[in-house]
Amino acid sequence: MKQLLAIAACSVLLTACGGAHGLRDSTPKMSSRTTKDVPTYLECVRAKWAETAQVSLSNKKEEGTLSASDKTGAHALLNATADGTGALVTMYERQSEKKDYNSSYRDAAVSCL
């Protein structure tokens, strides 16, 4: 019985952690550079993503990460790293397989460049 509970607990944890965390293992959907600093760029994207998704921001002066999940099962992860007079930006995303592709995450990230 204890083994069964341990296996069930591990399954639940793996499912919960499978959201935006495994996205870095996939091919980036966008890679670009912005002249904005990291906090300014991430705040611009955060404000747009927050209109339709739950957003989490981890921000430091030199680097930051923004992740989002919405009700359709889509997940997005955006990394920004300071680079000279701006920042390098990389975005990963996973869309729901049951829905048509929704470009809103990528469009918002591009519009803030």
Side-chain angles (χ1 to χ4, degrees), residues 24 41-42 64-66 77-81 88-92:
R24 286 189 180 111
Y41 177 75
L42 290 177
T65 302
L66 186 64
L77 178 68
L78 184 75
N79 292 321
T81 306
L88 295 176
V89 178
T90 307
M91 188 187 113
Y92 305 87

Side-chain angles (χ1 to χ4, degrees), residues 64-105:
T65 302
L66 186 64
S67 63
S69 298
D70 66 22
K71 294 176 184 176
T72 68
H75 301 283
L77 178 68
L78 184 75
N79 292 321
T81 306
D83 179 46
T85 59
L88 295 176
V89 178
T90 307
M91 188 187 113
Y92 305 87
E93 69 179 341
R94 181 180 313 128
Q95 297 272 329
S96 171
E97 296 175 12
K98 298 175 183 175
K99 303 275 183 178
D100 289 334
Y101 179 74
N102 179 354
S103 65
S104 62
Y105 288 121

